[in-house]
Amino acid sequence: MNSRRDFLQKLAASALAMPFLSSYDAFGHADFRLPVSQGPVLRVALMGLGGYASRVAEAMQSCKRAKITGLISGTPGKLQEWGAKYQVPEKSRYNYENFDNIKDNPDIDAVYVITPNALHHDQVIRVAKAGKHAICEKPMALNAKEGQEMVDACANAGVKLLVGYRMHFEPKTLEVVRMRQAGELGKIMFFQGQCGFRIGDPNQWRLDKALAGGGSLMDIGIYAVNGARYMVGEEPVWVTAQETKTDTAKFKEGVDETIQFQLGFPSGAVASCLSTYNMNYLDRFFLNGEKGFAELQPSTGYGPIKGRTNKGELTQPHVTHQTLQMDEMAGIILDNNKPVVPVDGEEGLKDLKIMDAIYAACATGQRQELRG
């Protein structure tokens, strides 16, 4: 009897503990599968039903704490197709002209803005005015001025603004952050970030300055900008940068093909990064400290991420990035959880300020000092 009673007591205690379990601890160690019972579900409207939204939508089918309850698109056929596929009723389908009406829809908590960069600013502000939380793909805006206006609009409306930094939840990435925070790598000396691929269709929006705001830096170079910050664990104080362009027909004025940039940090650590639309096989982070190193390659692709350190191979499990991201963002929005690496609008704004400085350094040939 005693053993049975002890078993039942332990079982009850485990059940009570379940809602308080996190998908991973502060250093990315535990089981990365969310418990089934972990609080309310975040009801999300997807805005911009393109290729990346398709990836997000598919990944969300495995989420425990987030589900698709709304759709926003300028293409009626997509609204109908996606509505049927993801069981979103017509009353929760909107176009770009009338989506402000989400303010009257109790089935939507947040809107994930997955549209071309130039549209983020106005769309996020409209989402905030409708009283809904905003999740915005990166880069958050075209420049720091726009980003600040978005942060202010969401603060004034009393809603959260998160940015789609999926790598901030990736297990191997978090293990490197943990090692650095724990001092296992010693004093950090150097970071290298390489992000590049050969871009295809010359008529796509990513090569249109009016929609993209730039070129490779805005699309993939932002991974190196952001990665340098969370890998080194400091905010840079200066930037130098150089632009190279070999195809002026494809990469028109204001659309960068290749940018090399360097960052300096208060501790004396430096970063050397490359962003390009003209070279394949560039997806690597390398962090060097006095006691050790960490390398991720691939470092920011959809996975699985692979990595090693001076202690050996990283073996944390792969979970679809967008599934993990959306479940964790549900916890941030609904439970005020604090991620190891921030994903809020202030984080997005810091990257925009650095990218503004990178473009200024390319234009002037001069080192740019960064201030908070």
Side-chain angles (χ1 to χ4, degrees):
M1 288 291 291
N2 286 342
S3 61
R4 183 174 182 273
R5 184 167 57 246
D6 290 344
F7 171 76
L8 291 173
Q9 287 174 343
K10 289 177 180 178
L11 187 64
S14 297
L16 286 171
M18 282 295 283
F20 301 100
L21 291 174
S22 176
S23 61
Y24 51 81
D25 65 18
F27 298 120
H29 273 319
D31 187 354
F32 288 84
R33 293 168 299 175
L34 283 163
V36 173
S37 174
Q38 198 171 15
V41 170
L42 183 70
R43 298 165 299 181
V44 181
L46 298 181
M47 178 187 293
L49 307 182
Y52 188 68
S54 295
R55 186 178 291 273
V56 171
E58 288 301 315
M60 286 182 68
Q61 303 314 296
S62 300
C63 284
K64 299 294 191 295
R65 297 211 58 192
K67 70 175 182 178
I68 301 168
T69 60
L71 299 168
I72 304 168
S73 173
T75 307
K78 284 187 177 181
L79 288 172
Q80 184 174 355
E81 177 189 346
W82 284 53
K85 183 174 182 178
Y86 297 111
Q87 299 179 311
V88 176
E90 285 193 30
K91 69 181 181 66
S92 294
R93 305 175 197 171
Y94 302 88
N95 59 44
Y96 295 126
E97 286 70 45
N98 68 11
F99 78 79
D100 307 272
N101 293 334
I102 59 172
K103 68 179 184 297
D104 299 318
N105 191 331
D107 296 327
I108 295 173
D109 302 313
V111 177
Y112 194 165
V113 177
I114 314 177
T115 55
N117 305 339
L119 306 180
H120 294 175
H121 171 267
D122 290 352
Q123 289 171 341
V124 165
I125 290 175
R126 287 172 66 186
V127 168
K129 288 180 177 177
K132 306 297 182 180
H133 301 291
I135 303 170
C136 183
E137 252 316 297
K138 59 194 177 304
M140 188 173 78
L142 297 186
N143 52 58
K145 178 180 180 295
E146 283 192 355
Q148 186 66 63
E149 290 170 355
M150 294 161 70
V151 168
D152 293 344
C154 290
N156 291 337
V159 299
K160 287 186 169 69
L161 170 58
L162 305 182
V163 185
Y165 289 117
R166 58 187 167 82
M167 304 313 300
H168 293 199
F169 307 106
E170 196 281 317
K172 294 181 179 69
T173 301
L174 287 179
E175 174 60 11
V176 175
V177 172
R178 184 203 67 77
M179 291 179 68
R180 190 257 301 156
Q181 289 177 336
E184 295 177 23
L185 303 177
K187 177 180 169 61
I188 299 301
M189 307 297 292
F190 174 73
F191 171 80
Q192 184 179 52
Q194 299 172 333
C195 304
F197 66 92
R198 276 186 172 273
I199 198 164
D201 180 8
N203 298 313
Q204 64 182 283
W205 71 262
R206 287 179 177 82
L207 296 177
D208 181 345
K209 186 179 189 304
L211 287 175
S216 68
L217 182 66
M218 298 293 282
D219 184 22
I220 52 172
I222 187 173
Y223 285 106
V225 172
N226 190 249
R229 294 175 47 239
Y230 63 71
M231 286 292 183
V232 174
E234 299 179 61
E235 297 300 328
V237 291
W238 58 259
V239 168
T240 54
Q242 307 82 36
E243 180 179 2
T244 304
K245 187 174 292 192
T246 63
D247 187 344
T248 55
K250 191 171 190 177
F251 304 100
K252 298 178 173 59
E253 183 67 27
V255 178
D256 48 284
E257 174 187 325
T258 300
I259 291 181
Q260 298 175 77
F261 60 93
Q262 303 78 40
L263 307 174
F265 297 88
S267 66
V270 292
S272 176
C273 302
L274 173 68
S275 169
T276 183
Y277 268 160
N278 198 33
M279 299 176 222
N280 284 327
Y281 316 115
L282 289 175
D283 185 6
R284 177 178 179 267
F285 282 179
F286 179 79
L287 185 66
N288 179 264
E290 288 185 332
K291 294 181 181 178
F293 74 88
E295 180 183 42
L296 298 174
Q297 186 176 11
S299 58
T300 64
Y302 294 135
I305 300 303
K306 295 182 180 180
R308 65 188 181 102
T309 74
N310 54 292
K311 295 183 177 181
E313 184 181 358
L314 295 174
T315 58
Q316 287 70 23
H318 171 69
V319 181
T320 301
H321 296 172
Q322 295 80 6
T323 303
L324 196 51
Q325 171 195 331
M326 295 309 294
D327 270 333
E328 292 298 322
M329 285 187 167
I332 293 169
I333 290 173
L334 299 174
D335 305 330
N336 288 314
N337 290 349
K338 302 297 182 187
V340 176
V341 184
V343 292
D344 56 24
E346 293 292 345
E347 179 79 356
L349 183 58
K350 289 174 182 177
D351 283 343
L352 290 172
K353 289 178 178 178
I354 296 169
M355 290 195 291
D356 283 353
I358 290 172
Y359 281 127
C362 287
T364 64
Q366 297 179 346
R367 168 167 149 164
Q368 303 293 305
E369 304 298 326
L370 294 169
R371 296 171 181 82

